[in-house]
Every structure is written in structure tokens, then in C-alpha cells.
Amino acid sequence: RSKGPAMWSPRAQNDRMRFAEEWRLALEQRPNVDFWQDMVSELIELKPTSKQTDISEALRHFTNTIKKRSIGFLLSDFGSNDSETLEKSLKIANNRHDIIGLNIVDKSEEDLPNVGFVRLKDAETGRTKWLNSGSKKVRKEYRMTRLKKDEQTKNILRRSGVDFATLYTNEPYVKPLIDLFKKR
């Protein structure tokens, strides 16, 4: 719905921006009020230089940037990080802040379907690999590797003192989150 020509004018737009800026300045003067709009804007406009994820670097940045104790939600599949570095970074970040890990799991990645030879490509590294998914042995090894990785992730989060929940992409996320916060 249009507000009409009066609202389209440069003067009306300028007044609207000035009004928002004055409110922001007034609110910033209030104690215990912090604004992270610039940081959020930077994240939204970020143009990644790599497809690889480095959770440890993100945690270091969070720990060094946010000085006041805060709650940080870490959403990841925790799939491509060095375990020792990740654990160390989680411990440091969780010592200063309250980190909550949300392990995102796609059930379709848990089992390799029996479709014969398939070419798999790692989205982060770009490496490709051929697998014979028709082989029971290959499918079993794939599943065992995946289960081992999931257990390793949970152990890292536990040892780091990070509360966490596993969220499946094909299931509602509300119940696991409610259960997590009831535990806390």
C-alpha cells in the first residue's frame, strides 16, 4: 500500500533517516543498552573469500570483539574442523561467554543410498571422491564414520562445557530447543 507522493519526496526520506538516527543516539546514551547493528549488517553483507568454515576463527573473533558476557548461539554441522583447535576455542569462548551449540544434522547424510557408483563432492574443499554405494561394506563404513563424527562432536561440546542440542533438518526444532532450555 502506497503512502502517497508526500512520503516519496527526498525531504520525507531525509526526515525519516534523521528521526531514526536521533532515536538511536538517544537510546545509546541509556545504560545497559548495546547496539550491534553494524556487526549484524557486516555479517549480512559479508562476501566469503572461501567456502571452508572455520568455527575456531569465528569463536576467536566473537571472544575478542564482544567484551561483555553474552549468550552466543553456534549453529553448525561441526563437520570440517580440527577437533583439538575447536575444543580449545570452545573452552575459551565459553569461559568468557555462554555458548550454546546447535548441531544441525541432515538425516539424508547419515546413510549412503544404494545407487551404485557415486561421485561425492565436499562443498567446502571442492575435493571429489568416487564411492561404490552398492557395496554393503562401503555403506557400513560410511555410516560408522558418520556416527563416530557425531559422537566426537558431542564429546567436544561436553568437554568444553557447552550446552547443546541436535536439530534435524527434517524435524521441527522447537522441542529440542525447549528441552535444552529446560535443562539449563
Side-chain angles (χ1 to χ4, degrees):
R1 205 178 113 174
S2 174
K3 296 192 188 294
M7 292 305 290
W8 298 337
S9 73
R11 166 82 186 179
Q13 294 302 315
N14 190 35
D15 288 346
R16 192 179 107 224
M17 289 184 277
R18 186 168 172 220
F19 174 79
E21 182 64 25
E22 286 184 27
W23 262 106
R24 180 182 169 135
L25 291 172
L27 288 172
E28 285 177 340
Q29 304 300 319
R30 309 253 327 158
N32 301 319
V33 175
D34 294 314
F35 285 86
W36 300 105
Q37 178 178 346
D38 293 338
M39 185 180 292
V40 172
S41 296
E42 286 177 25
L43 288 173
I44 291 171
E45 295 169 3
L46 179 70
K47 301 286 188 252
T49 57
S50 169
K51 290 185 177 186
Q52 290 187 303
T53 304
D54 189 347
I55 297 171
S56 299
E57 183 60 34
L59 287 168
R60 272 192 295 280
H61 180 74
F62 178 69
T63 302
N64 294 330
T65 305
I66 310 298
K67 299 301 180 194
K68 292 183 181 178
R69 184 160 173 81
S70 303
I71 298 174
F73 289 85
L74 179 58
L75 286 76
S76 178
D77 64 358
F78 299 94
S80 62
N81 282 266
D82 171 46
S83 300
E84 285 182 36
T85 307
L86 176 60
E87 187 171 341
K88 181 180 176 185
S89 299
L90 280 167
K91 284 179 180 177
I92 292 169
N94 200 45
N95 191 34
R96 178 176 282 186
H97 302 288
D98 184 8
I99 304 296
I100 298 170
L102 299 176
N103 185 17
I104 311 299
V105 176
D106 186 343
K107 284 257 189 196
S108 68
E109 293 179 355
E110 287 185 347
D111 289 309
L112 194 60
N114 182 357
V115 292
F117 281 95
V118 291
R119 184 175 159 205
L120 302 177
K121 181 177 181 179
D122 186 311
E124 293 189 13
T125 65
R127 284 183 278 177
T128 60
K129 182 178 184 177
W130 283 94
L131 283 179
N132 180 4
S133 68
S135 164
K136 285 184 182 182
K137 181 183 176 194
V138 169
R139 288 195 312 274
K140 183 179 178 181
E141 286 174 4
Y142 180 90
R143 178 157 182 72
M144 296 307 293
T145 301
R146 179 66 188 197
L147 291 172
K148 183 179 175 186
K149 178 65 178 156
D150 288 347
E151 196 57 38
Q152 182 182 31
T153 297
K154 290 176 186 177
N155 288 333
I156 288 170
L157 292 167
R158 283 187 196 107
R159 286 192 307 265
S160 302
V162 172
D163 290 333
F164 67 94
T166 299
L167 305 178
Y168 293 94
T169 58
N170 64 328
E171 296 176 6
Y173 57 85
V174 175
K175 185 175 178 346
L177 290 178
I178 288 172
D179 292 345
L180 171 68
F181 289 110
K182 281 182 180 177
K183 262 188 345 189
R184 295 173 53 90

